[in-house]
Structure formats: C-alpha cells, structure tokens
Amino acid sequence: MSKKERAILVAVIIEAALAGLWWYLASYGMANPDHVTADFQQVVGQTMGTAMGALLGIGVMLFFVAARNDRKTIEKKMRR
C-alpha cells in the first residue's frame, strides 16, 4: 500500500469517527433538551465542523507530502 493510499485511509477513518461523534452529540442534545443549554446544537455544530474542516485541510497537505515521498521512493528504486 502506498503512502498516498494510507494517508487517504487514515483521513477517512478519522473523519468518519468525528462524524459519528457529531451525530451522537446532536442526538444527545435533541433527546435531552433539559440537560443541555439552549445553544448546545449551535456550539456542537461549530466545534465539530471546525475540527473536521481543520483535519481535512491537514489531510490534504499530508496527501501531497505522501505523494512526493512516493515519487522519491520510485526514483530511488529506478536508480538501482
């Protein structure tokens, strides 16, 4: 498995975990409105959206780094 494929796989797994956490917190807020503050849904949405967006941005950068490392590895193998 190439480094690009691993970077994509890890990003997808982390994003799916964050989406699951977001879904859980949103359902908890709807199921227990007397246990949360009035702006709970907005806070959860902003926080989780920011976290997912930031990790996706880092994932894109890591993908390009992995692609560069894959190219370097192929070049080294071709020289031998």
Side-chain angles (χ1 to χ4, degrees), residues 3-80:
K3 292 179 182 176
K4 288 190 304 188
E5 292 170 346
R6 281 186 252 163
I8 291 172
L9 182 64
V10 168
V12 167
I13 290 171
I14 291 173
E15 290 289 330
L18 285 173
L21 178 63
W22 191 350
W23 185 270
Y24 168 75
L25 289 173
S27 348
Y28 177 81
M30 288 188 295
N32 302 303
D34 53 335
H35 290 255
V36 296
T37 62
D39 63 343
F40 179 79
Q41 296 292 358
Q42 290 83 12
V43 171
V44 167
Q46 289 174 349
T47 304
M48 295 303 294
T50 301
M52 290 177 75
L55 284 174
L56 188 60
I58 290 171
V60 169
M61 289 189 302
L62 290 176
F63 174 79
F64 288 124
V65 169
R68 185 189 67 197
N69 288 341
D70 282 346
R71 280 194 306 272
K72 285 182 181 179
T73 302
I74 291 171
E75 289 174 3
K76 284 181 183 178
K77 286 183 181 179
M78 296 298 282
R79 289 182 191 163
R80 291 183 183 178

